[in-house]
């Protein structure tokens, strides 16, 4: 999943790190940039994900089947909704 996420972030948010499936500060900073531009993230772009980052990811996941609370805690249902988004053909 993280390789696809890094590729999506490369396409959408200017991620320039490796597409290696290992999330690190560059991956998380690109995720935060994308979440700030599209999903209501208002925290720092510091590459250190926390509840504000994950709440924004949950808002994205809610558009793809996640029906749980937007609480910044990524559980299995949050990841399932995000995976539905990230597995779209557009991010191949």
């Amino acid at each position: 999943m993280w390789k696809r996420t890094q590729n999506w972030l490369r396409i959408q948010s200017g991620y320039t790190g490796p597409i290696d499936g290992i999330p690190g500060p560059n991956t998380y900073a690109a995720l935060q940039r994308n979440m700030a531009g599209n999903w209501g993230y208002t925290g720092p772009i510091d590459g250190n994900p926390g509840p504000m980052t994950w709440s924004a990811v949950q808002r994205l996941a809610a558009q793809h089947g996640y029906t749980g609370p937007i609480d910044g805690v990524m559980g299995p249902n949050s990841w399932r909704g995000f995976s539905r988004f990230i597995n779209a053909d557009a991010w191949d």
Side-chain angles (χ1 to χ4, degrees):
M1 179 194 78
W2 281 107
K3 278 187 179 184
R4 292 183 71 83
T5 300
Q6 289 167 331
N7 196 50
W8 161 61
L9 292 169
R10 179 187 60 79
I11 294 166
Q12 292 286 310
S13 302
Y15 172 70
T16 60
I19 308 295
D20 60 4
I22 302 169
N26 289 334
T27 303
Y28 292 128
L31 179 66
Q32 290 168 329
R33 278 192 301 277
N34 187 283
M35 295 296 104
N38 302 301
W39 300 101
Y41 176 70
T42 59
I45 308 297
D46 62 3
N48 185 20
M52 291 175 67
T53 304
W54 299 128
S55 290
V57 172
Q58 286 175 321
R59 283 190 284 280
L60 181 154
Q63 299 296 312
H64 299 277
Y66 174 62
T67 59
I70 306 299
D71 59 5
V73 178
M74 291 296 285
N77 292 330
S78 301
W79 286 115
R80 192 172 299 112
F82 181 70
S83 291
R84 284 187 189 117
F85 165 75
I86 210 63
N87 285 322
D89 290 340
W91 316 125
D92 286 337

